[in-house]
Amino acid sequence: MSRPNLKLSVAFEFELSAANDLLELGHENLCQAMHDLLGAMVLQGMPTITAKQLGKAGVTVLSHRHHLDVATTAAATIPRAEYVAAGPHLTDDELLQLARRTSGKLPAIEGERARVLRRHALALAGEFRMIPCVVHARLSSGKDAQLQGRLNLTNGSVLLAERDRQSRLQPKQDSLRVEGSGSGVGLKASCAGHTLSGPVIEVPLAELAAHRDALIGLWQKS
């Protein structure tokens, strides 16, 4: 077989008007739907016709590949709060990057859109972003305690200081709070049990998002 000595790329861009059932699909599903609709008639027909036409000049097509992408340009403007909810650990500049990266590629269904935004937010900045915190909790003995630790703004987990990792907390307590040191912000939290590393304390993403500005300000100063 001859070795290739030319690479040809031919691209078309189509502006389409589609029904709502297509517009409500996520980006990956929308691309797959378009791929299925075009089918062999287009995806295999184009290489066949190209080979025939180029063959007239003695040019042989040795291989071919295709790339398909589609963006929803009629998507409604997404409120900033949705970006914050997906990435409360992101800086202002990173939130703008998240908006640009996902522009026109977000599903119309809110729940699915939130999952897509979260995935992109973690891809943009997935490292742990920690701030010092104090955990206000009730111990299994019934005493109230203040435990020192660090709150991970990326996923809401709390890593307790070594001296407090042996603490045993009462299960399902409503009074569990995590305070970002120096922020004056108290966050609702829960304890999912205990491990060798201490109590598994978690702050919901919604709580982080509600106080995101103060928490990010504290992280940027640390």
Side-chain angles (χ1 to χ4, degrees):
M1 180 182 290
S2 302
R3 298 185 62 182
N5 51 23
L6 289 176
K7 179 179 286 188
L8 172 66
S9 178
V10 180
F12 290 89
E13 185 173 276
F14 299 89
E15 293 185 352
L16 310 174
S17 176
N20 288 335
D21 57 344
L22 282 176
L23 298 179
E24 292 176 355
L25 294 176
H27 181 246
E28 293 180 4
N29 291 334
L30 182 57
C31 288
Q32 184 61 51
M34 286 295 177
H35 184 280
D36 294 342
L37 287 170
L38 292 174
M41 180 67 73
V42 173
L43 302 180
Q44 296 300 323
M46 174 67 174
T48 300
I49 295 173
T50 300
K52 181 178 180 180
Q53 293 300 112
L54 294 180
K56 297 177 181 178
V59 178
T60 302
V61 175
L62 299 179
S63 65
H64 63 84
R65 64 193 60 84
H66 70 270
H67 171 72
L68 184 152
D69 193 18
V70 58
T72 304
T73 58
T77 302
I78 307 301
R80 183 177 184 273
E82 289 196 36
Y83 295 109
V84 171
H89 65 296
L90 299 181
T91 64
D92 288 345
D93 287 343
E94 288 167 343
L95 287 174
L96 290 175
Q97 291 180 50
L98 177 62
R100 286 195 293 268
R101 286 189 181 190
T102 58
S103 178
K105 298 180 179 180
L106 294 173
I109 301 174
E110 186 174 349
E112 186 176 351
R113 186 165 67 240
R115 289 190 291 273
V116 173
L117 281 173
R118 178 63 176 166
R119 185 171 68 248
H120 279 280
L122 291 176
L124 184 63
E127 74 278 7
F128 288 175
R129 294 184 169 178
M130 315 287 283
I131 62 171
C133 69
V134 178
V135 178
H136 300 269
R138 181 166 292 114
L139 303 179
S140 58
S141 64
K143 294 182 179 180
D144 292 332
Q146 294 184 6
L147 312 177
Q148 301 296 319
R150 293 193 300 162
L151 169 63
N152 183 357
L153 300 182
T154 307
N155 62 15
S157 63
V158 175
L159 177 64
L160 290 181
E162 187 171 356
R163 69 175 189 180
D164 291 325
R165 291 179 187 174
Q166 300 306 313
S167 301
R168 303 288 296 184
L169 307 187
Q170 283 187 0
K172 299 180 181 179
Q173 54 180 292
D174 295 331
S175 58
L176 188 60
R177 295 287 186 277
V178 174
E179 180 182 345
S181 300
S183 69
V185 174
L187 308 168
K188 296 179 181 178
S190 62
C191 179
H194 297 77
T195 68
L196 294 177
S197 300
V200 181
I201 300 172
E202 300 172 338
V203 176
L205 285 181
E207 278 288 289
L208 296 176
H211 303 281
R212 176 262 173 195
D213 292 350
L215 296 174
I216 282 294
L218 182 58
W219 176 75
Q220 290 177 319
K221 292 176 183 178
S222 62

